[in-house]
C-alpha cells in the first residue's frame, strides 16, 4: 500500500530536549516536505526536499533542521524544542520533475513542548 | 508571495443543508487548486483538485468546486451535507512556476453538521 508514515504519532517533551520525527514514504517520490498546522493558520511549510541531499527552507524554518540522506526518508529534527513549536506536524511527498504532482500526506505527529 | 484566504472559520449546519465554503487566493498566474478535508483525529485527505480544463470540478463524497479565474476564487460546495461531513476543510494553492511544489494553505474552516 502506497503511504507516508510518521513516527511518533504523539510526543510530549520538555524545552531543550532534542527530538527527531521520522517520515518515510514507499512511493519512490523525489519531493518531500514538512508542514506544521496551527489553529487558524492552516498548514505552513517548514522545509522541503527536491531529492536526496537537496533541501531548502519553507516559510517557517526557524528552530528546525532536516536531512535527506535516502530517498524514502525525510526526518525533522528539533535541536532545542521550545513551547512555540507545540503543533501538529505533517510530512508529505510527491513525484518531482517538470510540473506539479499531487502530494500525499502522512497521518501527522502531535508534538507538545512543555 | 501567494496567500490563500478562507472566509469562514467556523460553519454550523443541519443535516441536508447546503454547504458553500469560500476560498480566494492572491496570485494571478497559472495555479493548481485543491481542497483537502481533515476528519477529527485523521490526516489530510484530498477532496478534489483543479489543474486545468472544466472549471467545475467534482470530487469525492459529493463535493464540487468552481474555479472562477476573474475572482481568484475556488469555492467548495455540497448540495446536502451529512453528519459525517463534520470536519475541517482546507483550500490550498500551488503556483509551480514561482514556488515549485510548495502548497500554500488557507487557515481552514471547521464545519459542524448537527444531526
Amino acid at each position: 500500500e502506497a503511504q507516508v508514515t510518521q513516527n511518533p504519532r504523539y510526543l510530549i517533551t520538555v524545552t531543550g530536549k532534542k527530538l527527531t520525527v521520522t517520515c518515510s514514504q514507499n512511493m519512490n517520490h523525489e519531493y518531500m516536505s514538512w508542514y506544521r498546522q496551527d489553529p487558524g493558520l492552516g498548514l505552513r511549510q517548514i522545509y522541503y526536499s527536491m531529492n536526496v541531499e537537496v533541501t531548502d527552507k519553507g516559510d517557517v524554518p526557524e528552530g528546525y533542521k532536516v536531512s535527506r540522506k535516502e530517498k524514502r526518508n525525510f526526518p525533522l529534527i528539533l535541536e532545542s524544542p521550545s513551547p512555540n513549536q507545540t503543533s501538529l506536524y505533517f510530512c508529505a511527498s510527491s513525484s518531482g520533475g517538470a510540473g506539479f504532482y499531487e502530494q500525499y500526506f502522512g497521518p501527522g505527529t502531535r508534538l507538545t513542548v512543555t | 508571495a501567494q496567500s490563500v484566504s478562507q472566509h469562514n472559520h467556523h460553519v454550523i449546519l443541519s443535516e441536508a443543508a447546503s454547504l458553500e465554503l469560500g476560498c480566494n487566493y492572491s496570485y494571478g498566474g497559472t495555479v493548481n487548486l485543491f481542497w483537502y478535508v481533515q476528519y477529527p483525529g485523521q490526516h489530510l485527505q484530498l477532496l478534489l483538485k483543479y489543474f486545468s480544463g472544466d472549471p467545475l470540478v467534482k470530487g469525492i463524497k459529493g463535493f464540487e468546486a468552481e474555479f472562477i479565474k476573474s475572482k481568484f476564487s475556488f469555492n467548495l460546495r455540497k448540495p446536502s451535507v451529512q453528519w459525517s461531513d463534520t470536519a475541517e476543510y482546507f483550500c490550498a494553492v500551488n503556483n509551480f512556476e514561482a514556488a515549485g511544489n510548495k502548497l500554500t494553505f488557507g487557515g481552514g474552516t471547521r464545519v459542524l453538521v448537527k444531526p
Side-chain angles (χ1 to χ4, degrees):
Chain A
E1 180 191 355
Q3 60 183 354
V4 179
T5 57
Q6 295 178 226
N7 282 292
R9 295 289 312 280
Y10 302 90
L11 180 59
I12 301 174
T13 190
V14 296
T15 299
K17 186 176 181 182
K18 180 179 178 180
L19 66 92
T20 299
V21 183
T22 65
C23 172
S24 183
Q25 50 91 6
N26 62 2
M27 296 169 278
N28 201 36
H29 283 164
E30 290 83 7
Y31 181 86
M32 297 185 75
S33 180
W34 276 102
Y35 295 87
R36 60 176 288 173
Q37 181 185 353
D38 300 292
L41 298 177
L43 282 76
R44 293 176 293 168
Q45 191 182 54
I46 303 170
Y47 268 95
Y48 66 94
S49 169
M50 300 296 291
N51 214 323
V52 176
E53 302 291 1
V54 181
T55 63
D56 208 346
K57 296 177 181 178
D59 293 322
V60 288
E62 294 77 20
Y64 304 95
K65 285 175 58 177
V66 292
S67 69
R68 187 91 182 271
K69 294 184 170 58
E70 304 166 284
K71 199 171 186 178
R72 63 182 293 126
N73 296 324
F74 189 46
L76 179 69
I77 303 154
L78 284 72
E79 295 269 2
S80 183
S82 62
N84 65 11
Q85 292 178 298
T86 292
S87 188
L88 180 57
Y89 291 87
F90 288 100
C91 181
S93 74
S94 71
S95 297
F100 181 84
Y101 296 87
E102 179 181 337
Q103 292 190 20
Y104 295 83
F105 285 83
T109 295
R110 187 167 292 281
L111 172 65
T112 302
V113 184
T114 61
Chain B
Q2 62 192 47
S3 65
V4 180
S5 298
Q6 292 182 237
H7 313 302
N8 308 98
H9 293 150
H10 294 90
V11 172
I12 302 175
L13 301 164
S14 297
E15 275 193 313
S18 64
L19 172 70
E20 180 160 0
L21 302 181
C23 173
N24 285 91
Y25 60 93
S26 63
Y27 185 71
T30 302
V31 291
N32 301 307
L33 300 159
F34 307 83
W35 275 97
Y36 286 87
V37 61
Q38 186 177 33
Y39 298 104
Q42 296 189 26
H43 61 93
L44 287 168
Q45 299 176 39
L46 182 66
L47 268 181
L48 47 80
K49 61 189 176 187
Y50 173 82
F51 282 18
S52 64
D54 188 344
L56 184 61
V57 180
K58 295 197 183 297
I60 61 172
K61 307 189 181 193
F63 285 91
E64 65 178 32
E66 185 175 12
F67 170 48
I68 302 180
K69 190 173 182 179
S70 61
K71 294 186 178 180
F72 302 97
S73 71
F74 189 55
N75 292 352
L76 180 71
R77 298 194 291 254
K78 185 170 183 177
S80 176
V81 295
Q82 302 171 312
W83 174 79
S84 57
D85 292 322
T86 293
E88 189 161 18
Y89 294 80
F90 294 94
C91 180
V93 176
N94 167 259
N95 171 20
F96 186 79
E97 291 168 356
N101 287 276
K102 177 183 169 182
L103 281 172
T104 300
F105 285 81
T109 299
R110 287 186 184 271
V111 173
L112 173 62
V113 180
K114 296 191 288 186

